[in-house]
Amino acid sequence: MSNAPVQREFFLDSIRAWLMLLGIPFHISLIYSSHQWHVNSALPSWWLTLFNDFIHAFRMQVFFVISGYFSYMLFLRYPLKRWWKVRVERVGIPMLTAIPLLTLPQFLMLQHISGKGADWHNLTAYEKYNTLVWELISHLWFLLVMVVLTTVCLFVFKKMNRYITRHKETRDAPWSLGTLSLIFLACGVLYGALRRTIFIIHAPLLSDGLFNFAVMQTLFYLPFFLLGALAFTRPGLKNLFTRTSPWCAVGAALAFAAYLLNQRYGSGDAWMYETESVITMLMGLWMVNVVFSLGHKLLNFHSPRVTYFVNASLFIYLVHHPLTLFFGAYITPHISSNALGFFTGLIFVVGIAIALYEIHLRIPVLRFLFSGKPQNKAAKA
């Protein structure tokens, strides 16, 4: 393994942070969309529904490409066991911290709001377990997926590194967006076929929270994670995404139109979810080019302000969800305008989240728990 320094990828750091922070307007717009959530406004907004659907259709696919890129970079820097320990600590400790401090109080608040707490004793043991899995993991699901992907890639990255070492001549082999599109089309079809098979054999398994997060979500995002790792090892592939492709922009727009049509006319009892997996696989791939090329042009520089939000993005994302639900439950009913409510919610959630971030910076144990990084006593907050 190599400890040689790698040139800082400022635009990838920035994109990763803004994708995570984009979860705030995503969840606030969910309150005002036509989608059923824990809390909803009295009347849905068509433009906030459209905005919500657009973010949902590509955000996490691009995020996992960047995660795979940085994960493989660290894989080459550390010994195998050390790499796994560092990666799991960075995502696992914040996840385990957020469950008792954030999602458990959030669950109790939602039980009170919905009045379902009174029916808790009527649930079976499995129903209680499954409810707790869904509600306590909640918006932390991507951290659990990262832990699973890191564990799986103990084997995959090791094999990948051996192959790359033996076939150095293929490092600069040309890559084609058309070929990648066919590969991701096949991945979407295979994922849809697997989901349909499970639906036919034992449909309740798809409603199991732990199976959904640890298996189905991991399988869906694995191709994007591996694509990011390959982009780190092959400059030609990385350059393919940082060069603007009009075809990717057009393809992403058409895929989003197909996504909306599937949402509008699809049926969950038919092939709606399988069709969605194919559409979002392709849209995710094409949006990698759109986001990377824009980010490379606009965000590839060092800025103290950007660095602040890069460092704060995980903490802000973790605390924003219960703040959003609190806003939706207790403040949204008093705001008649959806647009005013949306922007008020942004100010409310972001303002409190930044204040909490500043407070946590001054408490070493919280800095460790929400970052998974050992804290140097001499380090400044």
Side-chain angles (χ1 to χ4, degrees):
M1 302 302 169
S2 173
N3 292 317
V6 179
Q7 183 178 357
R8 192 71 177 180
E9 302 283 6
F10 292 113
F11 79 102
L12 289 179
D13 273 335
S14 297
I15 292 172
R16 178 173 57 177
W18 294 122
L19 286 173
M20 192 171 293
L21 293 175
L22 200 58
I24 300 175
F26 168 73
H27 285 116
I28 295 176
S29 64
L30 194 54
I31 296 173
Y32 299 100
S33 73
S34 59
H35 303 299
Q36 292 297 314
W37 200 38
H38 298 291
V39 288
N40 288 104
S41 61
L43 295 174
S45 165
W46 70 267
W47 71 271
L48 285 171
T49 301
L50 188 68
F51 175 74
N52 183 270
D53 284 336
F54 178 68
I55 296 175
H56 181 66
F58 80 91
R59 181 174 69 101
M60 294 310 298
Q61 296 93 307
V62 181
F63 175 85
F64 274 101
V65 171
I66 300 175
S67 296
Y69 183 95
F70 285 121
S71 290
Y72 197 81
M73 179 182 73
L74 293 176
F75 173 80
L76 297 179
R77 184 178 300 176
Y78 295 115
L80 191 62
K81 293 182 180 179
R82 173 66 177 165
W83 169 78
W84 182 86
K85 182 176 182 293
V86 169
R87 293 301 297 159
V88 169
E89 286 177 348
R90 296 284 174 86
V91 295
I93 292 176
M95 180 183 71
L96 294 176
T97 299
I99 289 175
L101 295 184
L102 297 175
T103 58
L104 178 58
Q106 171 185 286
F107 169 67
L108 296 175
M109 178 183 71
L110 292 175
Q111 291 287 93
H112 173 72
I113 293 170
S114 65
K116 293 181 179 179
D119 297 328
W120 179 256
H121 66 281
N122 293 325
L123 300 179
T124 66
Y126 173 75
E127 288 173 338
K128 292 178 180 178
Y129 151 80
N130 198 36
T131 299
L132 287 174
V133 169
W134 280 106
E135 299 296 339
L136 297 187
I137 294 179
S138 183
H139 67 298
L140 312 176
W141 66 268
F142 76 100
L143 295 175
L144 176 60
V145 171
M146 284 294 298
V147 171
V148 178
L149 284 173
T150 300
T151 304
V152 169
C153 286
L154 276 170
F155 172 79
V156 176
F157 281 5
K158 188 176 180 180
K159 292 292 185 181
M160 185 187 301
N161 192 49
R162 287 178 180 174
Y163 179 85
I164 292 172
T165 302
R166 293 174 183 173
H167 301 83
K168 291 183 179 180
E169 68 280 359
T170 63
R171 176 180 172 86
D172 297 320
W175 288 81
S176 164
L177 284 169
T179 301
L180 287 173
S181 298
L182 290 175
I183 293 173
F184 274 74
L185 173 63
C187 289
V189 171
L190 288 173
Y191 180 86
L194 173 63
R195 189 191 183 283
R196 175 54 53 168
T197 301
I198 296 173
F199 181 79
I200 294 172
I201 296 174
H202 187 59
L205 187 59
L206 295 173
S207 300
D208 184 275
L210 189 59
F211 180 81
N212 177 75
F213 294 132
V215 178
M216 298 304 291
Q217 296 284 55
T218 298
L219 288 175
F220 181 83
Y221 290 108
L222 179 61
F224 295 97
F225 194 78
L226 296 179
L227 180 65
L230 286 172
F232 181 81
T233 66
R234 300 179 181 273
L237 179 58
K238 178 183 171 184
N239 293 335
L240 190 67
F241 290 124
T242 54
R243 290 195 304 266
T244 302
S245 169
W247 292 110
C248 282
V250 172
L254 293 175
F256 181 55
Y259 177 86
L260 293 177
L261 290 173
N262 188 53
Q263 288 283 314
R264 176 68 177 82
Y265 298 106
S267 170
D269 293 329
W271 292 83
M272 174 183 172
Y273 296 111
E274 290 78 9
T275 304
E276 181 178 302
S277 68
V278 176
I279 294 170
T280 51
M281 273 281 182
L282 288 171
M283 183 174 177
L285 173 68
W286 294 330
M287 284 300 292
V288 171
N289 175 268
V290 174
V291 174
F292 275 34
S293 59
L294 286 175
H296 193 259
K297 290 179 181 179
L298 304 175
L299 301 173
N300 200 24
F301 59 89
H302 172 69
S303 165
R305 292 180 181 178
V306 173
T307 301
Y308 176 86
F309 281 103
V310 167
N311 293 331
S313 59
L314 176 60
F315 180 90
I316 292 176
Y317 180 82
L318 293 179
V319 302
H320 92 278
H321 200 262
L323 291 173
T324 300
L325 289 169
F326 179 89
F327 176 85
Y330 297 107
I331 301 178
T332 291
H334 303 288
I335 303 176
S336 58
S337 168
N338 285 338
L340 178 60
F342 173 73
F343 290 109
T344 302
L346 283 178
I347 296 171
F348 175 86
V349 172
V350 173
I352 296 178
I354 291 177
L356 292 174
Y357 174 71
E358 288 295 329
I359 293 172
H360 115 286
L361 284 179
R362 289 154 177 80
I363 305 174
V365 65
L366 288 181
R367 289 206 309 270
F368 166 70
L369 291 175
F370 280 100
S371 69
K373 300 177 183 179
Q375 299 299 307
N376 187 340
K377 293 182 180 179
K380 294 181 181 181

